[in-house]
Amino acid sequence: MADHLEASVTLPSDPASVSAARTHVAGALAEWGLPPDAELCDTVRLIVSELATNAVQHTFGQSPTFTVDVVLVRDERVHIGVTDSHPRFPKRLPAAVQQDNGRGLVIIRWLTAECGGRLRIRPTREGGKTVAVELPWPGATDARPAETAVAAARQEP
């Protein structure tokens, strides 16, 4: 396989785009050889759903589009990033017993840690942000042990 494969799509900040983002990423992973029933594929679909939902719901109409990028590097790591043009970074919200939303980033953080990956949030040159997840590709030998990944999930933004 190639050293570097990537796929990208820019979608309107609309709830219907969440499904399109998920389908786009799952299609890219399948094209790169990841079976649709693989555990990583399910995890990535959920992560993309949460990231895209956040891009739609939490930009308060200030980001008319969002971009989903997926990159496979040397059959070792898969990077998934969702970029929007809203400058506000996600904040960790206090857990509330009756809270109906606001848990997306917590879910992403734990799924990422469970896979031995990492979550990063970084500003873009244009003033927005990218929320990115890096996960080991199945069969890669550099995955972090689960205990280390969970500890890292507690510390990263």
Side-chain angles (χ1 to χ4, degrees), residues 57-110:
Q57 289 185 345
H58 299 295
T59 59
F60 305 106
Q62 293 183 25
S63 182
T65 62
F66 65 95
T67 301
V68 180
D69 296 302
V70 59
V71 179
L72 177 59
V73 180
R74 292 185 303 277
D75 285 342
E76 295 173 1
R77 313 284 296 163
V78 63
H79 299 259
I80 301 105
V82 174
T83 303
D84 63 59
S85 58
H86 193 281
R88 189 178 59 122
F89 276 40
K91 289 192 266 185
R92 188 178 297 191
L93 300 175
V97 177
Q98 300 299 322
Q99 190 173 336
D100 288 334
N101 60 19
R103 295 188 188 99
L105 203 55
V106 172
I107 292 168
I108 293 164
R109 192 179 312 279
W110 280 103

